[in-house]
Amino acid sequence: MTTQSVSATLQTQSGLALTFVDHGFTDGTEAELTSGGFNAVSGQSAGTYGDGMTVTHALVSGGDNLVYAYIANQDGSINMALPIARNAAAVQGVIQLCRPVRLIPGMTVQVLSDVTGSTTVGFSCFCGSGVSHIFTGTAGTAGTVSNLTSIKTGGNVGDVLTGQTIQKAWISSTADWDAAEAGGFPFVGLIAGNGQSKAMWMQQMPVYNQPVPQMFSATVALNDKLQIDTDTS
């Protein structure tokens, strides 16, 4: 198991920045990122550290292979997916959240970074109703089509977000879509139950550039799936 340094900042409406850091964050397992860094009591959860504050902007940054990050509710459910970036890559920096989040005790910042050589794709989305969710999948070889499934239920997007309209989505891909990519199709597709393509979002690689929200609307129906067709050979 590998480790890396992961840090985050949550900018609040009150003008204070809440900082988080773990210099020995374990790859391959979702875990909480607790307070540390500038002017912070180390080891506190977000809801305790920023109790009553409203977060408006954020960024979670790591050494390599960040898949997703989010603010979790007290019950562990996803409140808001957070923007991510790789240290030293081309970044926009701290960006505005899809909606403000008021912190209360019990809320946490959760992060997944993956091990070197992984081929994980993370799809973080925000719906018009205010619901945020995250899906992940593993890129295959020889053009294998794979489904992205919910990090909470394991279900497909149609099972989790039926009737919701995805307004924004950003994708983290650890599979290498540079000039060495042998084949495949560099998008995440929203595929209807009858096999028709409904929407496409470009895979983004934090190793090169900060994934940023791709903004267009797509309504999810029962039996819809998020799929990738990636050749990592």
Side-chain angles (χ1 to χ4, degrees):
M1 189 69 69
T2 57
T3 61
Q4 62 174 294
S5 180
V6 176
S7 57
T9 179
L10 306 183
Q11 185 66 42
T12 68
Q13 206 168 52
S14 62
L16 297 178
L18 307 178
T19 58
F20 303 76
V21 68
D22 186 340
H23 296 302
F25 196 84
T26 300
D27 295 325
T29 303
E30 180 188 304
E32 181 184 0
L33 187 65
T34 57
S35 63
F38 288 95
N39 305 314
V41 176
S42 62
Q44 289 189 333
S45 295
T48 301
Y49 179 26
D51 185 13
M53 297 184 186
T54 298
V55 180
T56 58
H57 298 67
L59 184 66
V60 179
S61 183
D64 201 5
N65 285 351
L66 287 186
V67 180
Y68 62 75
Y70 65 96
I71 295 175
N73 293 313
Q74 295 164 306
D75 62 358
S77 61
I78 299 168
N79 185 295
M80 175 60 59
L82 296 174
I84 60 175
R86 179 180 183 266
N87 300 335
V91 298
Q92 286 195 338
V94 180
I95 63 174
Q96 186 172 0
L97 299 184
C98 297
R99 60 166 170 75
V101 177
R102 185 175 182 273
L103 298 175
I104 58 175
M107 298 177 79
T108 62
V109 172
Q110 299 289 325
V111 179
L112 175 66
S113 60
D114 223 334
V115 297
T116 301
S118 66
T119 57
T120 306
V121 176
F123 181 94
S124 301
C125 65
F126 178 77
C127 301
S129 65
V131 169
S132 187
H133 208 79
I134 301 171
F135 302 82
T136 60
T138 302
T141 58
T144 302
V145 174
S146 303
N147 293 338
L148 304 186
T149 56
S150 165
I151 66 170
K152 292 300 180 182
T153 71
N156 287 308
V157 65
D159 303 318
V160 179
L161 298 180
T162 301
Q164 299 279 357
T165 299
I166 297 173
Q167 290 188 335
K168 301 178 183 179
W170 55 102
I171 293 88
S172 170
S173 177
T174 62
D176 200 344
W177 281 102
D178 64 7
E181 173 60 32
F185 191 68
F187 292 86
V188 173
L190 178 63
I191 309 301
N194 62 4
Q196 291 185 322
S197 302
K198 297 175 64 175
M200 293 285 161
W201 294 267
M202 185 70 179
Q203 291 189 44
Q204 300 163 298
M205 293 184 62
V207 67
Y208 296 132
N209 294 284
Q210 176 180 342
V212 294
Q214 300 173 49
M215 295 179 284
F216 63 90
S217 296
T219 300
V220 179
L222 187 66
N223 299 322
D224 283 0
K225 297 179 180 178
L226 289 170
Q227 293 186 330
I228 49 175
D229 174 9
T230 307
D231 187 350
T232 58
S233 58

